[in-house]
């Protein structure tokens, strides 16, 4: 009944899973991002070892959805957000029996595009940096507010934000971002995955 033991001690990496079970417009589908972040953040509370979650670009084995591809914005967010919660990498899992020539594999492009966007700021995840987690993943399930995470380094703040709880592709919301004495607002439209680096000196002024 405690965290630890011989197997725990021998593990050099932790691999939680973050498979998704519900598609939009199900009200449970909107928790996909909070669920993903929770898997990473709760494991970070248990261990300082690297965390590399398993992710899949299809819905898990739920009646009516089994092996159907997730939404494109979900694939892109899945590639970006775990690193803002402390993941050291991602393990993209696939079931070889799922492949057939009739399917559209565009979701892999959306996933890779997310990784590419994040790679433009790879310097923010090296050296001395700080993860900015103002609201726990679990709280988002209750509040259903737009989700944001950030990484602070030197005089810069890299912000990722998305509104998985949007009512439509055209809904526009303002998301307040705060880090120490710095505050700004991010504008989100629909389910877009926002990623931007801010100069905190400019924000302070």
């Amino acid at each position: 009944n405690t965290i630890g033991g011989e197997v725990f001690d021998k593990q050099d990496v932790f691999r939680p899973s973050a498979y998704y079970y519900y598609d939009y417009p199900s009200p449970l589908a909107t928790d996909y991002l909070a669920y993903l972040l929770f898997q990473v953040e709760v494991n970070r509370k248990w261990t300082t070892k690297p965390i590399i979650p398993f992710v899949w670009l299809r819905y898990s084995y739920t009646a009516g959805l089994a092996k159907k591809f997730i939404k494109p914005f979900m694939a892109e967010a899945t590639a970006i957000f775990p690193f803002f919660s402390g993941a050291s990498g991602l393990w993209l899992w696939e079931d070889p029996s799922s492949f057939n020539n009739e399917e559209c594999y565009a979701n892999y492009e959306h996933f890779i595009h997310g990784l590419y966007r994040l790679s433009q700021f790879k310097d923010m995840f090296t050296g001395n940096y700080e993860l900015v987690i103002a609201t726990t993943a679990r709280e988002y399930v209750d509040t259903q507010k737009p989700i944001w995470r950030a990484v602070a380094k030197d005089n810069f703040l890299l912000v990722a934000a998305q509104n998985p709880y949007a009512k439509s592709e055209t809904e526009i919301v303002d998301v307040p971002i705060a880090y120490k004495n710095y505050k700004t607002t991010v504008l989100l439209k629909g389910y877009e995955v926002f990623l931007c680096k801010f100069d905190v000196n400019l924000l302070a002024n």
Side-chain angles (χ1 to χ4, degrees):
N1 296 321
T2 60
I3 300 298
E6 185 176 357
V7 174
F8 181 94
D9 293 339
K10 289 183 177 180
Q11 286 182 261
D12 56 10
V13 63
F14 274 61
R15 300 194 189 280
S17 63
Y19 301 143
Y20 307 137
Y21 297 90
Y22 302 97
D23 193 11
Y24 287 75
S26 167
L28 295 176
T30 57
D31 289 328
Y32 89 90
L33 186 53
Y35 172 67
L36 169 63
L37 298 183
F38 176 82
Q39 299 299 327
V40 178
E41 291 168 14
V42 74
N43 275 276
R44 286 185 61 231
K45 295 293 185 180
W46 292 339
T47 181
T48 58
K49 297 178 181 180
I51 296 170
I52 303 178
F54 283 100
V55 295
W56 197 21
L57 301 186
R58 302 173 189 258
Y59 294 104
S60 290
Y61 299 93
T62 308
L65 291 177
K67 299 186 179 182
K68 175 184 174 183
F69 280 108
I70 61 177
K71 300 292 186 187
F73 65 81
M74 296 171 68
E76 186 172 357
T78 296
I80 293 174
F81 275 86
F83 297 96
F84 286 82
S85 288
S88 298
L90 296 174
W91 184 292
L92 180 58
W93 185 88
E94 186 53 271
D95 177 1
S97 67
S98 300
F99 293 110
N100 67 71
N101 293 332
E102 305 303 318
E103 288 189 301
C104 174
Y105 293 96
N107 259 16
Y108 288 90
E109 274 194 67
H110 292 286
F111 181 82
I112 293 170
H113 178 62
L115 292 177
Y116 171 75
R117 290 180 65 193
L118 192 62
S119 75
Q120 304 304 294
F121 307 102
K122 61 183 180 181
D123 60 301
M124 293 293 292
F125 295 88
T126 60
N128 186 25
Y129 65 91
E130 176 189 354
L131 298 178
V132 181
I133 301 176
T135 303
T136 67
R138 178 63 185 84
E139 286 179 81
Y140 282 119
V141 176
D142 293 329
T143 64
Q144 298 201 340
K145 292 182 178 180
I147 294 176
W148 72 274
R149 290 285 185 266
V151 172
K153 180 181 178 182
D154 299 328
N155 292 318
F156 294 97
L157 191 68
L158 178 63
V159 176
Q162 200 226 352
N163 185 14
Y165 304 101
K167 299 297 188 293
S168 71
E169 294 279 1
T170 57
E171 180 184 6
I172 297 177
V173 294
D174 290 322
V175 183
I177 307 296
Y179 171 67
K180 296 183 178 179
N181 297 325
Y182 314 116
K183 295 182 180 179
T184 189
T185 300
V186 165
L187 191 69
L188 292 180
K189 181 179 180 181
Y191 306 101
E192 73 168 311
V193 180
F194 178 91
L195 186 64
C196 185
K197 185 165 75 170
F198 295 91
D199 185 329
V200 295
N201 288 330
L202 295 178
L203 295 181
N205 295 325

